[in-house]
Amino acid sequence: MKKRRYSVLNSVSRPAEAAGPGVGRRRFLRGLGLGGAAAVGAVAMPNVSRAQTVTWRFQSTWPQKDIFHEFAQDFVKRANEMGGSRLKLDLLAAGAVVGAFQMQDAVHAGALDGGHGVAAYWYGKNKAFSLFGTAPPYGWDANHLLGWFYYGGGEALYRELVNDMLKLNVVGFMSGPMPTQPLGWFKREINSADDLKNLKYRTVGLAADLMKELGVAVTILPGGEIVPAIDRGLIDGAEFNNPSSDRVLGFPDVAKNYYLQSFHQRVECFEIIFNKQKFDALAAEQKAILRYAAEAASADMGWKQQDRYSKDLQEMQQQKGVKAVPTPKPVLEAQLRAWDKVIDSLSGDPYFKKVVESQKAWVQRVAGFYNLYDADARMAFQHFFKA
């Protein structure tokens, strides 16, 4: 594969959505006038003394009101409290410095020191990014994905992509296992795979390839732009992620058919990234704080979402008239067949194929173990809650 450097300037196309502390959009663009090498080199710094406070601009890719921004805040809170007076992250919402889809470029250049998002957002640079954020549904869940990343060789493969192949000045961690994402919101009913054909639909990452295979007209939009696009009739349907995000972003106001369960994004987690030169210059204990804060926030998110997602789904059903139903089985079956074609097509790239083979080996062993080991939770649920 030909090695390529990516320019922040090429990816910045929209004005900042909101003003915020730290570097503004205009200052960010002026900084690029230094040139790529100079801009990256300018962020290098010596190891920080224990007496100094390191304060970093840390932007999420999420709107301020989204629970995902709250999850970013939960990470920042842990890092700051463990860092004491020696390490501080200042959290900004999407658009404070750059738009959601430009966050990685800004971290690479040093205009941001770090950020919170999903690896699938960088799918335009290399489709293998989506394997680390929205991987195919081999029969595993997002917690298994995190296990693969930290114990199954995934982290080394991630560094190979980010640092060796793309030469990005970025270091990253995976965090925050997400449950299965809904197929999404539609103004009309979806009963078969044929009902999806030619629909204008929003998704991201490999799910875009999957839905195109099903005949869908895919549009890729950041979270804050989806509901306005549905409201104006620019798209016919969309998914974002979960009931809490969907409720606060306003999906129930523009559509009522909410299809739960899907294989388009069955396995997803967050990505937390930092400027590599700045991260490498930190003291060892500060690096550890950032890594372990990502692990702690990951666990807390798993607990918090149990409470919030279930409450918000009930509220939308009871107060907003939302019709929340499972995605029809024929659609799920069509998705799995389409995944076969997408994986086979993209596995012509040796690196993509290597990551897929690593993931499949992990799933076959680990998910195979839990399939054999765990009792059927649905069977027990149906026994105790017959009504």
Side-chain angles (χ1 to χ4, degrees), residues 132-203:
F132 298 93
T134 55
Y138 310 118
W140 57 345
D141 61 24
N143 205 41
H144 297 145
L145 173 64
L146 289 170
W148 168 77
F149 185 81
Y150 289 109
Y151 287 94
E155 188 170 12
L157 288 167
Y158 174 81
R159 289 197 299 266
E160 180 180 347
L161 173 63
V162 173
N163 304 130
D164 299 340
M165 294 170 56
L166 298 181
K167 304 299 183 185
L168 294 173
N169 183 36
V170 169
V171 60
F173 311 111
M174 298 300 149
S175 178
M178 303 181 197
T180 298
Q181 294 188 32
L183 180 65
W185 298 83
F186 300 87
K187 291 188 175 181
R188 61 181 177 83
E189 292 185 359
I190 303 297
N191 297 306
S192 70
D194 286 341
D195 291 335
L196 292 171
K197 289 183 178 178
N198 299 317
L199 280 182
K200 293 174 289 185
Y201 174 82
R202 180 271 178 192
T203 190

Side-chain angles (χ1 to χ4, degrees), residues 7-20 23-26 28-29 32 58-64 69 92-108 111-112 114-118 121-122 125 202 220-225 271 273:
S7 165
V8 183
L9 185 59
N10 290 339
S11 67
V12 176
S13 59
R14 295 190 299 274
E17 296 172 18
V23 177
R25 174 68 64 83
R26 293 179 182 175
F28 167 56
L29 291 173
L32 295 178
F58 185 86
Q59 182 184 296
S60 83
T61 56
W62 319 116
Q64 183 91 34
H69 188 73
L92 309 170
V97 177
V98 293
F101 288 165
Q102 288 82 48
M103 187 266 284
Q104 187 196 65
D105 287 332
V107 173
H108 163 80
L112 286 169
H116 183 281
V118 289
Y121 273 11
W122 327 130
K125 294 180 180 180
R202 180 271 178 192
I220 297 176
L221 296 169
E225 298 180 16
E271 177 194 44
I273 63 174

